[in-house]
Amino acid sequence: MGVISPLKGQSHTHSLTKKFLSYVLYALLPIALFRLYCHPFPLPQSTTDQLPHNNRLILTTSSSPPLSLSFSKEKEIAYETPCDYTNGRWVHDKMGPLYNGTTCDTIKDGQNCISHGRPDLGYLYWRWQPSQCKLSRNQLESLLCMLAAASNANLVYKDGEDNKFRRWHFASHNITISVYWSPFLVRGVEKSNIGPDHNELYVNTVDERWGADLDHIDMIVLSIGHWFLHPAVYYEGGSILGCHYCPRLNHTEIGFYDVMSKAIKTALKTIIERKGANGNGVDVFLTTFSPSHFEGEWDKAGACPKTKPYKEGEKMLEGMDADMRAIGVEEMEAAKIYAKQFGGLRLEILDVSKLSLMRPDGHPGPYMYPFPFANGAQQHVQNDCVHWCLPGPIDTWNQILLEVIRKRSMQSRREE
């Protein structure tokens, strides 16, 4: 998902807080993970009215009155405390989900597990608890309240198969949020029934379907991973670099790890150079690989039947999952070093691999389809053990993202 700033070039009173509501580009896993502005469960009529009016963080927009969020001294101190959000455990939470999935019209059909009749709702009553700090649910509820309750999401653009490119506008805050389908981040040709039976990737050329909009984007969240497992031929500098699982082609098998690394490098380098050159700056987040939970082969009746999270130590991040996470972390660290020569660029890894690994219960499974067992038990029902139910565990990713943004905002205020 990506957010295009309301009016490029307009003056704002606080450069970082301007970007707080100019939210999020997801270049994505195979399906858009859009979950920020679904209709929340009932909240107080005004969350900001109940907050103290000292130590204000002003969230400015270009054409509507500024919103304000306030912080107590206690919360300001809490934001100064270092926290590894990846180190923690899932704990039972009687409060349940952060929003009502049955009335959220932005959830893609295959992820709306409740509407599709999933009977066990226990997966909704868990929250991630970091070992050394807390994730405040109220902060995310405030964000949901601002984006959903205070302003209806107006779909202003959709295009592509299954509407893979979508754009919403929130009129009261003059915020635009866009979803870009770009499973490799770089330019690619996806396999199809009328084209090649493998993907084709050009690893040193960014996908301009999202790259062309960079001048207007204030904050970007990139997600990448599972599509690199598919058969593919890779190109670099006009020449064939090699391929992954192409036994019928006369190309060198090189796997996909190095190619994934090159794709992330190209995407981050493009963002840094284009945004750094014009001096506008940007906040960039890269989401680490999110493991799947198939028990058995995905195309041979593999399923994800578990109904509870793994306990701490019960499941370890290892093998391909660990390797793909490491690629993202390493490329982000290298990009941070490269970005130092430019101003206004803030890059951060959003490490969700471990906490996602521990939630085998959070996938649609057979409920990727509406009421799959309505006519009784079926011999074989395809399961989706890659994507996530909404609402569900993936909402925690936004909580962590929001905490990081909040900390940056507080740090920026102290430095002024």
Side-chain angles (χ1 to χ4, degrees):
M1 299 171 196
V3 177
I4 300 174
S5 58
L7 287 176
K8 182 178 179 294
Q10 186 158 1
S11 175
H12 296 274
T13 59
H14 196 292
S15 61
L16 180 60
T17 55
K18 176 198 73 172
K19 296 176 175 56
F20 180 78
L21 281 181
S22 295
Y23 215 64
V24 187
L25 166 112
Y26 253 88
L28 288 138
L29 294 157
I31 198 166
L33 307 178
F34 190 76
R35 60 214 183 266
L36 294 181
Y37 47 78
C38 300
H39 301 280
F41 287 123
L43 293 171
Q45 286 188 340
S46 174
T47 56
T48 57
D49 289 347
Q50 302 175 14
L51 295 171
H53 294 288
N54 59 325
N55 302 317
R56 278 185 165 188
L57 170 61
I58 304 299
L59 306 180
T60 59
T61 58
S62 60
S63 62
S64 60
L67 278 169
S68 65
L69 287 180
S70 306
F71 295 89
S72 65
K73 285 294 185 181
E74 290 79 7
K75 285 187 177 180
E76 190 167 346
I77 293 172
Y79 286 127
E80 295 176 358
T81 305
C83 179
D84 177 6
Y85 294 110
T86 66
N87 183 19
R89 61 192 179 97
W90 289 98
V91 298
H92 197 263
D93 181 16
K94 64 181 180 180
M95 291 182 66
L98 297 169
Y99 53 85
N100 188 347
T102 61
T103 60
C104 179
D105 57 8
T106 59
I107 298 177
K108 297 203 75 171
D109 194 47
Q111 295 175 286
N112 206 330
C113 303
I114 299 175
S115 293
H116 283 187
R118 179 171 174 173
D120 63 303
L121 300 181
Y123 71 96
L124 297 171
Y125 294 89
W126 297 89
R127 63 178 173 84
W128 180 252
Q129 177 59 62
S131 299
Q132 299 175 335
C133 51
K134 293 182 179 180
L135 291 176
S136 173
R137 290 172 61 95
N138 291 333
Q139 291 167 355
L140 186 54
E141 287 171 350
S142 295
L143 179 62
L144 288 166
C145 183
M146 284 187 289
L147 294 181
S151 177
N152 291 327
N154 181 25
L155 182 65
V156 296
Y157 175 81
K158 62 181 180 179
D159 192 18
E161 181 184 356
D162 298 326
N163 296 324
K164 291 178 178 178
F165 299 86
R166 291 175 290 164
R167 183 169 296 152
W168 294 265
H169 185 248
F170 294 81
S172 67
H173 302 108
N174 200 17
I175 303 164
T176 302
I177 297 180
S178 299
V179 175
Y180 296 81
W181 172 257
S182 183
F184 312 110
L185 302 183
V186 294
R187 184 164 71 92
V189 178
E190 297 173 34
K191 61 180 181 178
S192 68
N193 294 329
I194 59 174
D197 61 356
H198 56 268
N199 298 315
E200 296 179 352
L201 278 69
Y202 299 81
V203 298
N204 59 344
T205 305
V206 76
D207 184 353
E208 292 293 347
R209 292 180 298 181
W210 64 269
D213 286 343
L214 276 174
D215 281 350
H216 308 288
I217 294 175
D218 293 320
M219 181 172 288
I220 305 171
V221 178
L222 304 172
S223 181
I224 192 172
H226 287 272
W227 270 67
F228 282 88
L229 305 180
H230 292 233
V233 174
Y234 309 125
Y235 297 84
E236 184 175 32
S239 302
I240 294 178
L241 182 64
C243 71
H244 169 56
Y245 193 68
C246 56
R248 291 181 297 173
L249 301 176
N250 188 24
H251 301 317
T252 303
E253 170 68 44
I254 62 173
F256 61 85
Y257 285 140
D258 287 345
V259 170
M260 180 178 169
S261 179
K262 288 176 181 288
I264 296 174
K265 185 190 298 292
T266 295
L268 292 176
K269 185 173 183 287
T270 300
I271 295 169
I272 291 169
E273 291 179 348
R274 292 187 185 181
K275 298 297 288 186
N278 61 29
N280 288 340
V282 69
D283 290 277
V284 184
F285 294 87
L286 175 65
T287 307
T288 59
F289 183 71
S290 173
S292 63
H293 291 94
F294 285 102
E295 295 185 9
E297 298 295 326
W298 71 270
D299 57 347
K300 297 178 182 178
C304 38
K306 287 186 170 55
T307 58
K308 292 183 178 180
Y310 288 120
K311 296 178 181 178
E312 180 67 26
E314 185 178 356
K315 186 74 171 178
M316 305 301 294
L317 189 68
E318 56 190 3
M320 183 194 73
D321 296 336
D323 291 339
M324 295 184 78
R325 172 196 170 273
I327 289 172
V329 172
E330 291 168 3
E331 288 302 328
M332 178 56 81
E333 290 304 310
K336 286 181 179 179
I337 296 173
Y338 181 60
K340 288 181 179 179
Q341 61 185 293
F342 302 95
L345 302 174
R346 292 160 296 278
L347 291 82
E348 195 71 49
I349 199 76
L350 188 62
D351 193 348
V352 301
S353 298
K354 178 184 175 182
L355 63 92
S356 301
L357 175 73
M358 296 171 68
R359 291 304 305 271
D361 58 323
H363 301 286
Y367 297 97
M368 62 186 293
Y369 302 111
F371 302 96
F373 304 109
N375 298 321
Q378 304 293 317
Q379 183 176 2
H380 171 60
V381 176
Q382 184 180 357
N383 277 242
D384 181 354
C385 304
V386 175
H387 304 108
W388 300 92
C389 291
L390 291 175
I394 198 172
D395 295 308
T396 298
W397 299 11
N398 270 335
Q399 289 181 279
I400 295 174
L401 179 63
L402 184 55
E403 290 291 328
V404 174
I405 295 172
R406 293 275 197 174
K407 281 199 169 187
R408 285 183 176 179
S409 298
M410 298 305 299
Q411 181 180 358
S412 178
R413 291 179 63 212
R414 290 194 302 268
E415 292 175 351
E416 289 185 346

mmCIF file of all heavy atoms in Angstrom, residues 118 293 295 304-310 355-363 385 388:
data_model
loop_
_atom_site.group_PDB
_atom_site.id
_atom_site.type_symbol
_atom_site.label_atom_id
_atom_site.label_comp_id
_atom_site.label_asym_id
_atom_site.label_seq_id
_atom_site.Cartn_x
_atom_site.Cartn_y
_atom_site.Cartn_z
ATOM 1 N N ARG A 118 -16.050 -19.118 9.044
ATOM 2 C CA ARG A 118 -15.134 -19.821 9.934
ATOM 3 C C ARG A 118 -15.750 -19.890 11.332
ATOM 4 O O ARG A 118 -16.023 -18.857 11.956
ATOM 5 C CB ARG A 118 -13.777 -19.122 9.982
ATOM 6 C CG ARG A 118 -12.800 -19.804 10.928
ATOM 7 C CD ARG A 118 -11.389 -19.260 10.813
ATOM 8 N NE ARG A 118 -10.535 -19.848 11.843
ATOM 9 C CZ ARG A 118 -9.221 -19.676 11.920
ATOM 10 N NH1 ARG A 118 -8.606 -18.946 11.010
ATOM 11 N NH2 ARG A 118 -8.527 -20.232 12.886
ATOM 12 N N HIS A 293 2.117 -21.795 6.745
ATOM 13 C CA HIS A 293 1.912 -22.843 7.749
ATOM 14 C C HIS A 293 1.212 -24.069 7.172
ATOM 15 O O HIS A 293 0.367 -24.683 7.825
ATOM 16 C CB HIS A 293 1.112 -22.287 8.924
ATOM 17 C CG HIS A 293 1.857 -21.295 9.750
ATOM 18 N ND1 HIS A 293 1.772 -19.943 9.537
ATOM 19 C CD2 HIS A 293 2.722 -21.454 10.784
ATOM 20 C CE1 HIS A 293 2.544 -19.295 10.417
ATOM 21 N NE2 HIS A 293 3.121 -20.194 11.182
ATOM 22 N N GLU A 295 0.598 -27.775 6.499
ATOM 23 C CA GLU A 295 0.976 -29.094 6.994
ATOM 24 C C GLU A 295 0.763 -30.049 5.831
ATOM 25 O O GLU A 295 -0.348 -30.446 5.526
ATOM 26 C CB GLU A 295 0.138 -29.479 8.208
ATOM 27 C CG GLU A 295 0.390 -28.576 9.414
ATOM 28 C CD GLU A 295 -0.355 -29.023 10.657
ATOM 29 O OE1 GLU A 295 -0.932 -30.141 10.631
ATOM 30 O OE2 GLU A 295 -0.363 -28.271 11.643
ATOM 31 N N CYS A 304 -3.834 -25.982 7.203
ATOM 32 C CA CYS A 304 -3.344 -25.316 8.416
ATOM 33 C C CYS A 304 -4.445 -25.411 9.475
ATOM 34 O O CYS A 304 -5.154 -24.434 9.711
ATOM 35 C CB CYS A 304 -2.937 -23.873 8.143
ATOM 36 S SG CYS A 304 -3.994 -22.978 6.958
ATOM 37 N N PRO A 305 -4.601 -26.575 10.104
ATOM 38 C CA PRO A 305 -5.750 -26.820 10.986
ATOM 39 C C PRO A 305 -5.602 -26.318 12.405
ATOM 40 O O PRO A 305 -6.556 -26.383 13.177
ATOM 41 C CB PRO A 305 -5.839 -28.355 10.975
ATOM 42 C CG PRO A 305 -4.419 -28.806 10.814
ATOM 43 C CD PRO A 305 -3.771 -27.783 9.912
ATOM 44 N N LYS A 306 -4.439 -25.831 12.808
ATOM 45 C CA LYS A 306 -4.243 -25.438 14.200
ATOM 46 C C LYS A 306 -5.149 -24.258 14.572
ATOM 47 O O LYS A 306 -5.449 -23.398 13.747
ATOM 48 C CB LYS A 306 -2.779 -25.096 14.457
ATOM 49 C CG LYS A 306 -1.870 -26.319 14.489
ATOM 50 C CD LYS A 306 -0.452 -25.957 14.894
ATOM 51 C CE LYS A 306 0.386 -27.197 15.174
ATOM 52 N NZ LYS A 306 0.411 -28.161 14.069
ATOM 53 N N THR A 307 -5.560 -24.223 15.836
ATOM 54 C CA THR A 307 -6.500 -23.200 16.299
ATOM 55 C C THR A 307 -5.920 -22.320 17.399
ATOM 56 O O THR A 307 -6.628 -21.460 17.935
ATOM 57 C CB THR A 307 -7.785 -23.860 16.820
ATOM 58 O OG1 THR A 307 -7.449 -24.768 17.885
ATOM 59 C CG2 THR A 307 -8.501 -24.610 15.709
ATOM 60 N N LYS A 308 -4.645 -22.517 17.744
ATOM 61 C CA LYS A 308 -3.989 -21.697 18.763
ATOM 62 C C LYS A 308 -2.575 -21.348 18.322
ATOM 63 O O LYS A 308 -1.984 -22.048 17.513
ATOM 64 C CB LYS A 308 -3.943 -22.430 20.104
ATOM 65 C CG LYS A 308 -5.291 -22.643 20.766
ATOM 66 C CD LYS A 308 -5.118 -23.318 22.127
ATOM 67 C CE LYS A 308 -6.453 -23.502 22.815
ATOM 68 N NZ LYS A 308 -6.299 -24.162 24.141
ATOM 69 N N PRO A 309 -2.003 -20.279 18.867
ATOM 70 C CA PRO A 309 -0.611 -19.944 18.548
ATOM 71 C C PRO A 309 0.345 -20.985 19.120
ATOM 72 O O PRO A 309 0.022 -21.715 20.063
ATOM 73 C CB PRO A 309 -0.400 -18.589 19.249
ATOM 74 C CG PRO A 309 -1.763 -18.070 19.548
ATOM 75 C CD PRO A 309 -2.637 -19.265 19.745
ATOM 76 N N TYR A 310 1.530 -21.041 18.522
ATOM 77 C CA TYR A 310 2.608 -21.825 19.124
ATOM 78 C C TYR A 310 3.055 -21.138 20.410
ATOM 79 O O TYR A 310 3.020 -19.912 20.526
ATOM 80 C CB TYR A 310 3.807 -21.921 18.183
ATOM 81 C CG TYR A 310 3.590 -22.813 16.978
ATOM 82 C CD1 TYR A 310 3.686 -22.302 15.684
ATOM 83 C CD2 TYR A 310 3.329 -24.169 17.128
ATOM 84 C CE1 TYR A 310 3.513 -23.107 14.572
ATOM 85 C CE2 TYR A 310 3.149 -24.987 16.018
ATOM 86 C CZ TYR A 310 3.239 -24.459 14.748
ATOM 87 O OH TYR A 310 3.065 -25.253 13.653
ATOM 88 N N LEU A 355 7.024 -13.439 14.977
ATOM 89 C CA LEU A 355 5.674 -13.355 15.535
ATOM 90 C C LEU A 355 4.644 -13.945 14.574
ATOM 91 O O LEU A 355 3.611 -14.477 14.991
ATOM 92 C CB LEU A 355 5.330 -11.925 15.935
ATOM 93 C CG LEU A 355 5.265 -10.829 14.879
ATOM 94 C CD1 LEU A 355 3.853 -10.687 14.329
ATOM 95 C CD2 LEU A 355 5.720 -9.506 15.458
ATOM 96 N N SER A 356 4.913 -13.872 13.263
ATOM 97 C CA SER A 356 4.022 -14.488 12.282
ATOM 98 C C SER A 356 4.166 -16.006 12.282
ATOM 99 O O SER A 356 3.174 -16.732 12.146
ATOM 100 C CB SER A 356 4.311 -13.936 10.888
ATOM 101 O OG SER A 356 4.143 -12.539 10.836
ATOM 102 N N LEU A 357 5.398 -16.474 12.433
ATOM 103 C CA LEU A 357 5.648 -17.916 12.493
ATOM 104 C C LEU A 357 4.836 -18.572 13.599
ATOM 105 O O LEU A 357 4.374 -19.708 13.457
ATOM 106 C CB LEU A 357 7.141 -18.160 12.725
ATOM 107 C CG LEU A 357 7.574 -19.613 12.938
ATOM 108 C CD1 LEU A 357 7.517 -20.376 11.625
ATOM 109 C CD2 LEU A 357 8.972 -19.680 13.542
ATOM 110 N N MET A 358 4.637 -17.855 14.698
ATOM 111 C CA MET A 358 3.985 -18.428 15.870
ATOM 112 C C MET A 358 2.461 -18.408 15.784
ATOM 113 O O MET A 358 1.779 -18.785 16.739
ATOM 114 C CB MET A 358 4.452 -17.675 17.119
ATOM 115 C CG MET A 358 5.932 -17.829 17.392
ATOM 116 S SD MET A 358 6.548 -16.739 18.704
ATOM 117 C CE MET A 358 5.725 -17.436 20.139
ATOM 118 N N ARG A 359 1.890 -17.994 14.629
ATOM 119 C CA ARG A 359 0.435 -17.930 14.491
ATOM 120 C C ARG A 359 -0.082 -18.821 13.362
ATOM 121 O O ARG A 359 -0.628 -18.337 12.364
ATOM 122 C CB ARG A 359 -0.011 -16.486 14.280
ATOM 123 C CG ARG A 359 0.156 -15.597 15.496
ATOM 124 C CD ARG A 359 -0.551 -16.124 16.731
ATOM 125 N NE ARG A 359 -1.971 -16.374 16.510
ATOM 126 C CZ ARG A 359 -2.921 -15.468 16.695
ATOM 127 N NH1 ARG A 359 -2.606 -14.252 17.088
ATOM 128 N NH2 ARG A 359 -4.187 -15.786 16.489
ATOM 129 N N PRO A 360 0.038 -20.135 13.493
ATOM 130 C CA PRO A 360 -0.495 -21.030 12.457
ATOM 131 C C PRO A 360 -2.013 -21.015 12.385
ATOM 132 O O PRO A 360 -2.602 -21.509 11.418
ATOM 133 C CB PRO A 360 0.010 -22.402 12.905
ATOM 134 C CG PRO A 360 0.110 -22.301 14.393
ATOM 135 C CD PRO A 360 0.595 -20.890 14.641
ATOM 136 N N ASP A 361 -2.655 -20.440 13.396
ATOM 137 C CA ASP A 361 -4.112 -20.411 13.464
ATOM 138 C C ASP A 361 -4.730 -19.223 12.742
ATOM 139 O O ASP A 361 -5.960 -19.128 12.649
ATOM 140 C CB ASP A 361 -4.553 -20.369 14.930
ATOM 141 C CG ASP A 361 -3.970 -19.159 15.673
ATOM 142 O OD1 ASP A 361 -2.801 -18.801 15.386
ATOM 143 O OD2 ASP A 361 -4.666 -18.579 16.513
ATOM 144 N N GLY A 362 -3.921 -18.317 12.222
ATOM 145 C CA GLY A 362 -4.436 -17.050 11.709
ATOM 146 C C GLY A 362 -4.704 -16.997 10.225
ATOM 147 O O GLY A 362 -5.023 -15.926 9.704
ATOM 148 N N HIS A 363 -4.592 -18.109 9.523
ATOM 149 C CA HIS A 363 -4.786 -18.113 8.067
ATOM 150 C C HIS A 363 -6.230 -18.451 7.696
ATOM 151 O O HIS A 363 -6.948 -19.099 8.476
ATOM 152 C CB HIS A 363 -3.845 -19.120 7.418
ATOM 153 C CG HIS A 363 -2.402 -18.854 7.669
ATOM 154 N ND1 HIS A 363 -1.718 -17.835 7.057
ATOM 155 C CD2 HIS A 363 -1.504 -19.470 8.486
ATOM 156 C CE1 HIS A 363 -0.454 -17.837 7.474
ATOM 157 N NE2 HIS A 363 -0.310 -18.816 8.347
ATOM 158 N N CYS A 385 -2.857 -21.091 3.438
ATOM 159 C CA CYS A 385 -2.061 -21.022 4.663
ATOM 160 C C CYS A 385 -0.919 -20.030 4.515
ATOM 161 O O CYS A 385 0.095 -20.117 5.226
ATOM 162 C CB CYS A 385 -1.535 -22.401 5.036
ATOM 163 S SG CYS A 385 -2.828 -23.655 5.217
ATOM 164 N N TRP A 388 -3.572 -14.008 5.491
ATOM 165 C CA TRP A 388 -4.063 -13.931 6.857
ATOM 166 C C TRP A 388 -5.514 -13.479 6.903
ATOM 167 O O TRP A 388 -5.944 -12.664 6.093
ATOM 168 C CB TRP A 388 -3.207 -12.936 7.660
ATOM 169 C CG TRP A 388 -1.774 -13.320 7.713
ATOM 170 C CD1 TRP A 388 -0.773 -12.932 6.854
ATOM 171 C CD2 TRP A 388 -1.148 -14.192 8.663
ATOM 172 N NE1 TRP A 388 0.415 -13.504 7.215
ATOM 173 C CE2 TRP A 388 0.225 -14.281 8.323
ATOM 174 C CE3 TRP A 388 -1.616 -14.897 9.775
ATOM 175 C CZ2 TRP A 388 1.122 -15.040 9.047
ATOM 176 C CZ3 TRP A 388 -0.715 -15.667 10.502
ATOM 177 C CH2 TRP A 388 0.636 -15.727 10.135
#
